[in-house]
Amino acid sequence: MAHPLKHAQSSARKFGGRTEDYLPIHNWFDESKAFLADFRHWALRHHAEGIFLAEKLFGVAIVNSDGKQVPVRNVGEQHVKEDLGRIPTAQDWLLQIKPRRWMYGHYAALGIVTAMPSG
């Protein structure tokens, strides 16, 4: 799935209601495309913590146009699984970052960081 509209259509098929019921949640998951328009944008929200953050922002459940309560967590899990095939953790993404000297900030200058890559 590449577009929030497609995810929302999938949610409507899975949970009932209309596409528009789910579009705000799916738009939120993919907002990071605005500043990084390739797969790496997924690292910001497409993980377990991102799903729980969506629940905090949108509430535990939404009421769709059929009057049915749908857990936001289920909608988030559907979105991430459709994109990635599984739900990674934030740690899964963060461990892939290659550390650079500037990332250590002032700790490098203070000698607190002992093992540091060049760059």
Side-chain angles (χ1 to χ4, degrees):
M1 300 254 164
H3 195 279
L5 180 63
K6 297 298 183 186
H7 286 292
Q9 290 167 341
S10 178
S11 291
R13 285 191 299 275
K14 182 171 184 161
F15 304 115
R18 295 189 332 250
T19 298
E20 297 78 23
D21 300 333
Y22 306 98
L23 203 49
I25 297 169
H26 294 297
N27 279 334
W28 178 82
F29 271 98
D30 285 342
E31 273 179 348
S32 53
K33 285 181 186 176
F35 51 87
L36 189 60
D38 66 26
F39 75 92
R40 293 174 293 175
H41 90 91
W42 288 335
L44 298 176
R45 296 182 179 169
H46 285 58
H47 44 67
E49 187 200 9
I51 293 167
F52 277 80
L53 181 55
E55 186 179 61
K56 281 185 177 181
L57 294 171
F58 293 97
V60 172
I62 60 166
V63 178
N64 69 20
S65 57
D66 291 340
K68 180 181 175 187
Q69 279 196 330
V70 179
V72 168
R73 194 178 310 167
N74 291 358
V75 177
E77 289 172 352
Q78 170 228 327
H79 184 112
V80 174
K81 285 180 181 177
E82 285 176 349
D83 280 344
L84 301 176
R86 69 182 189 96
I87 299 171
T89 65
Q91 181 179 355
D92 292 332
W93 287 104
L94 294 172
L95 287 175
Q96 300 308 311
I97 294 174
K98 185 176 179 183
R100 297 288 183 212
R101 182 177 293 278
W102 66 266
M103 294 175 180
Y104 291 97
H106 295 295
Y107 294 107
L110 296 172
I112 296 172
V113 178
T114 55
M116 184 174 18
S118 60

